């Protein structure tokens, strides 16, 4: 790229980003003095565990200049790539250094031509202490474009390509961070404790930008959602209500319109092919003893789709870029956890290093990896400290339990056989020995990528109640998709955009408001109340958070299990039959001994005789046992 082309391309980006009179000023400043167009990370902090910092600098022919720092002792080395428009500065920042703005000095023939200010900020107090999340939490997963529109002025932004169009299921609908802030009370009262929000970073692509997974700027919140300060406001306001915030991060790919795609730092920054090559999406190949190299290559290096180039995490500069980017967001915004997108698609050694470096810096921080695999042993491989054949440990503590998800969507629709019907849940849990830590699995009925649970369960309220009762009392960390409480529907085979419908009442012109009892239908209120009741009960039930799980082999399509610790015992019964059942409890005496009565939590009724328990068809009972 020659200088004229470079200036033109940067000017185009700036024209997008600013309006009116500023343009002229910026054009002049770019074409004249300024060499450094961009520095990432945009700032750093003093007093970090790891003293190393690598700053990526971008500017026309920047490699031809002499670079130094005003605080010269900090600069260890300057690294070049094959593209002269990039330089990487390796700094070492002593722990005891005071916060300061250093300047990156650019010299030409010994003469100083630019002083670029770079801030080493003071860290926010207690940033290393995070609550993280665990089995005591319930996650609420929400897609920000589809949850609530709190600011209609940002629905369409001049500088961003895709404009709002609520009539298009795959278009942008206008939901934003302000919309989430406006409904924190609703979420708190519902009884969830943790918000997992699909990616909020800039997706300046032509279309399909609403889901957020085609990131074009890893350091900025998409202007249609708000801005970086607004995100910090959300995190702070959530914390005031004891709600935690989990950031959704993508390391495997970026958006095709990412600013570096016009002028890559190096050819191997992304995986490139003579002809478009897509991932085979078969993460199984990574643990398969018979896998071909071709299949492994396609899984690892193939693109997610034409709009999402595959990043090469084996390039150490790419690896450091993303490790620092994640640490930057934790330090900047004070988030409580990360959900890592497409865990097995990125280079697994880089991922392990990424997770380790984050946890060295923030020991109490929780990372959840999306390990979308169909079977249990190949899922367990991706959890930290699993007993793996090759000694691999991902350093990722929590993984998504897709095998459990598939079982939940089938079990309540099936007739009982040796392994089907309610026995399916039993068999999933009976294989927990393969996990390093089965408590650290995400238990979900559905998520943003799959058919909504109410649709999977053929619109049965009975089945949905059973599924929720199971999800909220078995082992693991439950995650609930926004709109479950409104009986939202959607099928994966239709279109993703249709599955991710707007939350009724999230838009100023919505006729009904699902955030209020008055705005919900009777059926919606029935499920909302059921969920709210269980969530708020679960919140203070330590026995569900940390108690042991003991279950009994299902009989007659009825599944009985207990959560118990030194202080308390809770009995859960799932009757998957189309008729009423009477349960003889003699078989459960090893747990029930000494208990005489109980309180059923869902119906709030007392049970005076525990010898025989009557349970209605297709229903769940959650009984706190009493002596
Ligand atoms: Ca908006």
């Amino acid at each position: 790229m020659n200088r004229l082309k470079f200036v033109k391309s940067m000017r185009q980006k700036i024209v997008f980003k600013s309006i009116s009179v500023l343009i002229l000023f910026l054009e002049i400043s770019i074409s004249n003095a300024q060499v450094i167009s961009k520095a990432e990370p945009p700032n750093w902090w003093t007093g970090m565990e790891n003293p190393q910092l690598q700053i990526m600098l971008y500017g026309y022919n920047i490699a031809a200049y002499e670079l130094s720092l005003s605080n010269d002792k900090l600069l260890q080395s300057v690294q070049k790539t094959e593209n002269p428009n990039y330089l990487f500065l390796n700094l070492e920042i002593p722990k005891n250094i005071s916060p300061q703005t250093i300047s990156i000095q650019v010299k030409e023939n010994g003469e100083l031509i630019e002083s670029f200010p770079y801030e080493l900020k003071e860290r926010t107090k207690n940033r290393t202490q995070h609550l993280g999340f665990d089995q005591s939490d319930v996650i609420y997963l929400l897609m920000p474009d589809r949850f609530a529109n709190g600011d209609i002025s940002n629905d369409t932004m001049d500088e961003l390509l895709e404009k709002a169009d609520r009539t298009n299921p795959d278009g942008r609908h206008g939901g934003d961070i302000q919309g989430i802030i406006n409904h924190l009370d609703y979420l708190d009262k519902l009884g969830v404790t943790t918000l997992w929000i699909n990616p909020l970073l800039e997706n300046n692509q032509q279309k399909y930008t609403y889901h957020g997974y085609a990131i074009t700027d890893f350091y900025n919140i998409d202007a249609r959602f708000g801005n970086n300060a607004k995100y910090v406001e959300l995190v702070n306001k959530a914390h005031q209500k004891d709600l935690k915030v989990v950031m959704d991060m993508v390391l495997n790919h970026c958006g095709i319109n990412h600013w570096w795609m016009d002028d890559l730092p190096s050819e191997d920054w992304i995986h490139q092919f003579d002809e478009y090559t897509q991932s085979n999406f078969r993460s199984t190949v990574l643990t398969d003893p018979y896998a071909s190299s071709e299949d492994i290559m396609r899984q690892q290096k193939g693109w997610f789709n034409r709009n999402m180039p595959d990043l090469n995490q084996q390039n150490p500069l790419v690896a450091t870029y993303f490790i620092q980017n994640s640490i930057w967001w934790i330090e900047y915004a004070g988030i409580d956890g990360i959900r890592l997108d497409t865990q097995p698609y990125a280079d697994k050694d880089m991922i392990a290093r990424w997770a380790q470096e984050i946890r060295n810096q923030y020991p109490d921080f929780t990372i959840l990896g999306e390990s979308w695999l169909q079977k249990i042993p190949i899922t367990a491989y991706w959890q930290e400290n699993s007993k793996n054949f090759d000694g691999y440990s991902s350093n990722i503590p929590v993984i998504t339990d897709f095998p459990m998800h598939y079982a939940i969507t089938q079990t309540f629709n099936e007739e009982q056989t040796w392994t089907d019907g309610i026995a399916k849940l039993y068999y999933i849990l009976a294989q927990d020995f393969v996990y390093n830590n089965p408590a650290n699995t995400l238990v979900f009925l559905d998520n943003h990528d799959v058919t909504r649970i109410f649709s999977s369960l053929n619109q049965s309220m009975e089945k949905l109640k059973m599924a929720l009762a199971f999800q909220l009392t078995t082992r693991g960390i439950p995650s609930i998709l926004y709109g479950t409480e409104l009986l939202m529907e959607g099928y994966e085979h239709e279109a993703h955009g249709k599955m991710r419908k707007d939350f009724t009442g999230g838009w100023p012109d919505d006729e009904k408001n699902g955030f209020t009892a008055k705005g919900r239908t009777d059926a919606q209120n029935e499920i909302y109340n059921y969920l709210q009741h269980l969530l708020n009960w679960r919140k203070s039930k330590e026995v569900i958070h940390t108690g042991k799980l003991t279950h009994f082999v299902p009989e007659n399509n009825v599944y009985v299990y207990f959560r118990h610790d030194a202080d308390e015992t809770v009995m859960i019964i799932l009757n998957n039959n189309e008729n009423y059942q009477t349960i003889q409890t003699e078989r459960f005496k090893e747990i029930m001994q000494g208990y005489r009565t109980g309180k059923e939590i869902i119906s709030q009724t007392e049970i005076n005789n525990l010898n025989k328990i009557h349970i209605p068809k297709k229903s769940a009972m959650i009984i706190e046992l009493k002596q």
Side-chain angles (χ1 to χ4, degrees):
M1 190 181 280
N2 64 33
R3 183 173 179 89
L4 188 69
K5 210 172 148 201
F6 182 88
V7 171
K8 217 173 132 193
S9 119
M10 286 309 288
R11 188 187 295 156
Q12 269 173 355
K13 289 191 165 90
I14 285 161
V15 171
F16 270 130
K17 296 222 172 220
S18 63
I19 359 167
S20 72
V21 288
L22 272 176
I23 298 170
L24 185 65
F25 169 77
L26 285 166
E27 274 184 14
I28 292 164
S29 68
I30 281 180
S31 54
N32 291 341
Q34 233 170 289
V35 176
I36 300 173
S37 313
K38 207 179 245 299
E40 290 187 345
N43 72 277
W44 203 246
W45 291 269
T46 58
M48 301 295 273
E49 276 311 309
N50 179 358
Q52 309 292 331
L53 169 67
Q54 184 169 79
I55 305 172
M56 177 167 91
L57 297 177
Y58 182 54
Y60 177 72
N61 208 18
I62 192 169
Y65 297 86
E66 305 142 46
L67 265 86
S68 59
L69 292 186
S70 55
N71 191 339
D72 236 3
K73 281 177 286 188
L74 305 185
L75 187 62
Q76 301 294 303
S77 61
V78 179
Q79 232 174 302
K80 294 178 183 178
T81 64
E82 76 232 24
N83 183 342
N85 296 334
Y86 288 85
L87 274 185
F88 293 81
L89 305 185
N90 293 313
L91 278 66
E92 183 158 323
I93 303 164
K95 236 184 165 179
N96 54 1
I97 199 174
S98 49
Q100 56 189 276
T101 299
I102 52 176
S103 62
I104 302 170
Q105 297 172 336
V106 185
K107 289 180 189 160
E108 193 174 23
N109 304 323
E111 192 192 330
L112 182 69
I113 57 164
E114 187 184 346
S115 259
F116 187 92
Y118 192 87
E119 210 179 342
L120 298 174
K121 294 185 180 178
E122 185 174 5
R123 298 184 67 188
T124 305
K125 267 190 187 160
N126 300 328
R127 262 302 190 256
T128 42
Q129 293 166 18
H130 288 85
L131 295 170
F133 57 92
D134 56 28
Q135 289 190 107
S136 65
D137 290 296
V138 175
I139 292 173
Y140 189 87
L141 162 59
L142 66 87
M143 186 156 269
D145 182 61
R146 304 296 166 92
F147 184 63
N149 189 355
D151 180 358
I152 54 166
S153 75
N154 63 16
D155 293 1
T156 288
M157 300 298 282
D158 290 342
E159 72 270 29
L160 296 173
L161 296 169
E162 190 177 10
K163 313 301 178 195
D165 179 5
R166 231 186 137 192
T167 62
N168 176 5
D170 295 321
R172 289 203 77 103
H173 292 186
D176 48 38
I177 296 174
Q178 188 60 49
I180 305 171
I181 292 174
N182 293 349
H183 295 100
L184 288 173
D185 262 335
Y186 167 84
L187 296 164
D188 184 34
K189 285 194 179 118
L190 180 61
V192 295
T193 70
T194 304
L195 309 181
W196 157 20
I197 303 165
N198 290 131
L200 289 160
L201 295 177
E202 185 196 274
N203 273 229
N204 194 10
Q205 307 255 107
Q206 298 284 355
K207 51 187 180 177
Y208 301 116
T209 68
Y210 73 93
H211 57 62
Y213 287 97
I215 296 169
T216 55
D217 182 335
F218 287 94
Y219 280 99
N220 281 300
I221 295 288
D222 194 293
R224 291 160 295 196
F225 289 136
N227 54 36
N228 287 7
K230 190 50 100 181
Y231 183 61
V232 174
E233 182 188 332
L234 164 68
V235 175
N236 290 338
K237 287 188 169 160
H239 285 171
Q240 284 163 18
K241 295 190 186 298
D242 285 332
L243 291 166
K244 301 166 189 176
V245 178
V246 175
M247 190 166 178
D248 203 329
M249 289 192 178
V250 191
L251 276 61
N252 178 63
H253 48 263
C254 62
I256 193 89
N257 283 357
H258 189 286
W259 62 265
W260 59 40
M261 289 303 298
D262 287 344
D263 192 20
L264 288 169
S266 59
E267 207 186 312
D268 70 349
W269 195 260
I270 58 169
H271 291 123
Q272 307 204 51
F273 302 87
D274 292 338
E275 268 179 37
Y276 174 71
T277 303
Q278 185 152 303
S279 176
N280 54 19
F281 303 107
R282 296 274 186 180
S283 302
T284 357
V285 299
L286 300 167
T287 45
D288 174 2
Y290 312 113
S292 64
S293 303
E294 176 69 13
D295 283 347
I296 294 173
M297 187 283 291
R298 279 176 190 268
Q299 192 280 341
Q300 285 285 284
K301 300 183 178 172
W303 288 23
F304 216 73
N305 64 39
R306 284 180 187 273
N307 291 313
M308 296 177 183
D310 196 71
L311 292 158
N312 176 17
Q313 299 86 18
Q314 285 177 337
N315 177 329
L317 295 170
V318 175
T320 301
Y321 181 92
F322 281 96
I323 291 165
Q324 291 185 160
N325 178 257
S326 296
I327 290 175
W328 190 90
W329 278 107
I330 302 169
E331 190 67 24
Y332 172 76
I335 51 177
D336 304 283
I338 290 174
R339 179 267 187 185
L340 172 65
D341 187 54
T342 51
Q343 182 186 340
Y345 290 80
D347 179 66
K348 68 180 184 181
D349 294 321
M350 181 274 179
I351 290 297
R353 186 187 143 207
W354 169 83
Q356 193 53 53
E357 291 211 23
I358 289 171
R359 293 167 77 191
N360 288 347
Q361 184 67 52
Y362 309 100
D364 306 321
F365 195 80
T366 307
I367 302 171
L368 155 69
E370 183 202 21
S371 47
W372 189 341
L373 291 137
Q374 288 66 30
K375 306 290 176 187
I376 293 172
I378 50 177
T379 303
Y381 179 87
W382 298 99
Q383 189 179 46
E384 69 169 340
N385 299 330
S386 289
K387 297 166 212 81
N388 288 332
F389 63 92
D390 58 356
Y392 177 71
S393 173
S394 67
N395 297 324
I396 293 189
V398 186
I399 51 165
T400 48
D401 191 346
F402 272 88
M404 175 69 91
H405 155 72
Y406 293 122
I408 291 170
T409 59
Q410 296 158 8
T411 194
F412 301 106
N413 293 331
E414 289 175 347
E415 297 288 326
Q416 169 84 336
T417 69
W418 192 259
T419 51
D420 292 340
I422 206 73
K424 209 160 239 176
L425 300 180
Y426 168 81
Y427 272 104
I428 292 284
L429 291 164
Q431 297 172 70
D432 266 3
F433 66 91
V434 302
Y435 288 109
N436 167 54
N437 184 359
N440 270 346
T441 50
L442 193 82
V443 179
F444 56 100
L445 310 182
D446 54 7
N447 67 22
H448 59 292
D449 284 327
V450 298
T451 295
R452 277 186 172 272
I453 188 64
F454 196 49
S455 303
S456 304
L457 299 177
N458 306 322
Q459 298 81 32
S460 161
M461 294 281 278
E462 289 171 335
K463 292 178 191 172
L464 179 57
K465 285 181 181 177
M466 288 177 80
L468 287 167
F470 172 73
Q471 181 193 21
L472 296 173
T473 55
T474 189
R475 59 86 172 129
I477 305 167
S479 172
I480 292 167
L481 179 61
Y482 79 99
T484 301
E485 71 274 36
L486 295 188
L487 300 172
M488 268 193 204
E489 286 206 69
Y491 293 88
E492 195 182 347
H493 64 257
E494 278 184 347
H496 276 183
K498 284 185 184 168
M499 220 159 65
R500 299 153 176 174
K501 292 187 177 74
D502 299 343
F503 193 105
T504 313
W507 277 249
D509 49 355
D510 282 355
E511 279 175 24
K512 288 194 170 152
N513 183 2
F515 290 108
T516 65
K518 231 179 103 185
R520 293 188 286 263
T521 64
D522 288 348
Q524 287 171 336
N525 270 320
E526 188 179 334
I527 212 71
Y528 173 91
N529 292 338
Y530 179 88
L531 187 57
Q532 185 194 39
H533 174 60
L534 280 188
L535 287 170
N536 283 284
W537 168 80
R538 190 189 190 281
K539 228 184 224 182
S540 60
K541 276 289 143 190
E542 231 171 272
V543 67
I544 305 291
H545 310 159
T546 55
K548 273 185 72 172
L549 169 67
T550 302
H551 64 181
F552 291 79
V553 175
E555 279 184 4
N556 306 322
N557 215 5
V558 174
Y559 180 39
V560 176
Y561 58 98
F562 296 84
R563 300 300 304 270
H564 52 110
D565 59 19
D567 302 320
E568 209 173 352
T569 298
V570 177
M571 177 185 199
I572 298 101
I573 311 174
L574 300 177
N575 174 14
N576 203 27
N577 292 287
E578 288 295 347
N579 53 30
Y580 154 114
Q581 295 284 312
T582 299
I583 318 295
Q584 308 286 347
T585 61
E586 167 71 13
R587 190 160 69 103
F588 317 124
K589 60 178 180 294
E590 64 184 79
I591 308 285
M592 295 183 76
Q593 219 153 32
Y595 290 107
R596 307 171 73 84
T597 62
K599 184 181 179 188
E600 203 287 313
I601 292 309
I602 298 168
S603 61
Q604 294 285 307
T605 54
E606 303 292 333
I607 295 177
N608 295 319
N609 179 2
L610 287 177
N611 295 333
K612 269 188 198 175
I613 299 173
H614 306 289
I615 178 165
K617 73 173 178 99
K618 283 276 177 200
S619 69
M621 289 174 97
I622 301 172
I623 306 167
E624 287 179 2
L625 300 186
K626 293 177 183 173
Q627 283 163 350

